[in-house]
């Protein structure tokens, strides 16, 4: 599943293909739960509009339009947003990938999973939204319109400040790991980055949030920023997406200190990394480095 770093990497790659361009045509697949705003309403609203900027909050991409509307996209589990002409073996089925040499690059042509195609007035490339499992979403917000989906999100994890988080967690008896994953507290942190940040901050995932001190929280927020920034720098992480033979899109999985390293030695102290389950999700930590 794309997490915040993958969505931010997507934002940075796709922004130059969207911002400043006027939409000339919108093509979609048939109406489905992917379209929170119905396809014909999307077409009516988007055609003729120019994209002014592309922001991100948590895992949502928010394109501001020149008439004050916002076009919101969520990549879900398998969503891919890219310019036509993009080449990646990740856009192929597992069977098609298996038949290719690992370094192969293949041009993509829109298929049944390409739910949205934006064409522009200029002759530049189309922008495509492809989603095999279709847990992604697109919707429009009118000028000033509030969104239930966006409204319940906490601060964006990449810019969140410890001072703002402290009142939200110091009284909670929930495991700190679960609080980190609570999108209403911190938008965009998923399992990998929560485990990695807790390791860097030296805090065990099961510790009650109420027993995390203010200075530990400051360290933890710095750690969240550091792991997210590093993952963005390396192009995101591929591990939660699928286990690919190529593994070329994103290098963060090679830098994991604890996540999915159960039974392996801690890279800092040599102790054996443990895996536990908290609230039905796995958590990984070093019993020596984390308290
Ligand atoms: Zn250790």
């Amino acid at each position: 599943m794309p997490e915040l770093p993958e969505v931010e990497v997507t934002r940075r790659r796709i922004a130059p293909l969207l911002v400043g361009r006027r939409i000339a045509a919108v093509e979609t697949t048939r109406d489905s739960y992917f379209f929170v705003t119905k396809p014909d309403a999307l077409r009516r609203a988007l055609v003729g509009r120019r994209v002014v900027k592309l922001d991100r909050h948590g895992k949502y991409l928010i394109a501001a339009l020149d008439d004050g509307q916002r076009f919101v996209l969520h990549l879900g589990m398998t969503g891919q947003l890219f310019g036509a002409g993009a080449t990646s073996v990740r856009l192929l089925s597992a069977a098609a990938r298996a038949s290719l040499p690992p370094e192969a690059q293949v041009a993509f042509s829109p298929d049944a999973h390409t739910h949205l195609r934006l064409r522009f007035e200029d002759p530049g490339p189309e922008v495509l939204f492809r989603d095999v499992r279709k847990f992604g979403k697109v919707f429009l917000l009118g000028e000033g319109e509030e969104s239930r989906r966006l409204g319940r999100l906490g601060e964006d994890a990449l810019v969140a400040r410890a001072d703002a988080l402290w009142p939200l967690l110091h009284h909670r008896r929930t495991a700190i790991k679960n609080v980190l994953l609570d999108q209403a507290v911190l938008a965009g942190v998923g399992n990998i980055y929560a485990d990695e940040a807790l390791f860097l901050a030296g805090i065990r995932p099961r510790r009650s949030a109420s027993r995390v001190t203010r200075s530990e929280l400051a360290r933890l927020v710095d750690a969240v920023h550091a792991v997210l920034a590093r993952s963005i720098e390396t192009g995101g992480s591929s591990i939660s997406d699928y286990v690919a033979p190529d593994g070329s899109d994103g290098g963060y999985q090679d830098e994991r200190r604890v996540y999915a390293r159960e039974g392996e030695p801690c890279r800092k102290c040599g102790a054996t990394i443990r895996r536990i389950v908290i609230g039905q999700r796995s958590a990984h930590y070093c019993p020596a480095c984390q308290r």
Side-chain angles (χ1 to χ4, degrees), residues 199 266 268-271 286 288-289:
F199 173 82
C266 171
K268 196 163 145 195
C269 76
C286 171
C289 294

Side-chain angles (χ1 to χ4, degrees), residues 91-145:
L91 296 168
L92 300 174
S93 70
R97 271 202 307 272
S99 66
L100 289 171
E103 71 282 4
Q105 292 283 296
V106 184
F108 172 76
S109 48
D111 60 7
H113 304 297
T114 309
H115 300 296
L116 185 75
R117 293 173 71 175
L118 301 178
R119 284 210 204 99
F120 298 87
E121 283 182 354
D122 63 73
E126 297 176 11
V127 170
L128 311 172
F129 190 159
R130 181 173 185 267
D131 190 357
V132 173
R133 292 183 63 188
K134 233 162 76 168
F135 287 110
K137 297 263 176 280
V138 292
F139 58 96
L140 277 166
L141 292 172
E143 192 167 10
E145 185 185 347

